[in-house]
Amino acid sequence: MSQSPILVTGGAQRLGRHCVERLLDDGQPVILSYRRERESLEALRRRGAVTLAADFSSEAGIHDFIARLKAQTSSLRAIVHNASDWAPDSLDDDAGANFERLFRVHMQAPYLINLHARELLDACQEPQRDIIHMTDYVSQKGSRKHAAYAATKAGLDNLTLSFAAMYAPDIQVNAIAPALIMLGEGDDEAYAEKAKAKSLMAKVPGPGVIYQTLRYLLDNDFVTGAILPVDGGRHLR
């Protein structure tokens, strides 16, 4: 029996790419979505990953992706919703469009994919099937500069609970809620020290901790409806 692939949305860079690479290391077939062509994609393709371009900023783009996903595979072992858009709030005329884009990427795309790809999960012959949402620490706290981002990630937290109830006991649905996990290319030492000070663990851990959490959910058949914080104790500061 051949293994069903795992779908990772937003799998071309940063946390998504790391998880794709680790899944491939484990011998797991992977389908990943990406927003734009990147040099890293070719390396993933050489390793056997299937790559599908996706535009989650419109409902038509989401449905187009779902149709091409179904043409690519007849089953899925899991869906990891990692696609995200880190956009700050603004007071200009684009504020409404910005919120709508974040809503589509963080909420509507997972919602529609979960509904329309359930048949692919049901077709998997392996004993466990999973949906995992990548949310964010700020969904519980809010954000002064990224209110739309925080609100739509909070909506994804709530979708976790709803789909867990809808799909039990056949499919487990959980979320991972990270705080700062890795630095950006332009972040300097001062920013790194400030970031470390925000958590009790006083470090920027790197993407490995996210894969450890993902692996836990993929391997545990008695967890559903959980939102797992990976924040180094930041919520206790």
Side-chain angles (χ1 to χ4, degrees):
M1 180 179 66
S2 60
Q3 278 186 288
S4 297
I6 290 177
L7 169 65
V8 180
T9 67
Q13 60 175 335
R14 294 179 62 80
L15 294 180
R17 178 184 174 184
H18 178 82
C19 289
V20 168
E21 290 172 339
R22 293 292 299 277
L23 288 168
L24 293 171
D25 289 342
D26 291 343
Q28 169 64 54
V30 176
I31 299 172
L32 68 94
S33 79
Y34 65 95
R35 184 164 41 184
R36 61 179 182 272
E37 191 66 33
R38 298 175 182 275
E39 186 176 338
S40 60
L41 285 167
E42 192 53 44
L44 295 173
R45 291 172 183 138
R46 287 195 298 269
R47 296 193 59 191
V50 174
T51 62
L52 296 177
D55 178 8
F56 293 155
S57 65
S58 71
E59 184 173 349
I62 298 166
H63 282 294
D64 174 71
F65 171 77
I66 293 168
R68 288 183 291 110
L69 174 66
K70 289 183 176 182
Q72 179 63 50
T73 185
S74 60
S75 66
L76 286 173
R77 161 65 179 85
I79 301 172
V80 181
H81 289 288
N82 175 71
S84 188
D85 192 334
W86 176 248
D89 300 320
S90 66
L91 295 176
D92 58 27
D93 293 339
D94 294 332
N98 176 62
F99 189 95
E100 182 177 2
R101 184 177 71 257
L102 293 173
F103 159 73
R104 294 194 188 282
V105 173
H106 297 156
M107 294 179 64
Q108 190 176 53
Y111 175 77
L112 291 174
I113 291 170
N114 289 351
L115 289 176
H116 292 286
R118 173 167 186 173
E119 64 191 63
L120 300 179
L121 293 165
D122 287 339
C124 176
Q125 298 301 305
E126 298 171 53
Q128 182 176 338
R129 283 75 55 79
D130 293 273
I131 295 172
I132 299 168
H133 298 148
M134 292 291 185
T135 63
D136 198 290
Y137 160 79
V138 299
S139 67
Q140 299 301 313
K141 183 182 179 181
S143 174
R144 293 182 179 89
K145 297 181 180 180
H146 294 81
Y149 173 87
T152 52
K153 285 291 189 176
L156 186 55
D157 275 348
N158 193 266
L159 284 176
T160 302
L161 305 179
S162 295
F163 276 104
M166 290 164 59
Y167 285 0
D170 301 317
I171 300 167
Q172 294 166 231
V173 185
N174 295 289
I176 299 172
L180 180 67
I181 298 298
M182 55 194 299
L183 297 172
E185 292 181 2
D187 295 335
D188 58 19
E189 187 61 29
Y191 179 86
E193 291 304 314
K194 183 179 178 181
K196 291 176 186 178
K198 291 181 178 180
S199 74
L200 294 181
M201 301 306 291
K203 61 182 179 181
V204 179
V209 296
I210 297 300
Y211 186 70
Q212 289 171 345
T213 312
L214 175 63
R215 190 74 259 171
Y216 164 75
L217 292 173
L218 292 172
D219 293 341
N220 192 309
D221 66 358
F222 199 61
V223 177
T224 198
I227 300 170
L228 301 182
V230 185
D231 60 19
R234 185 169 171 176
H235 63 289
L236 298 175
R237 280 295 191 189

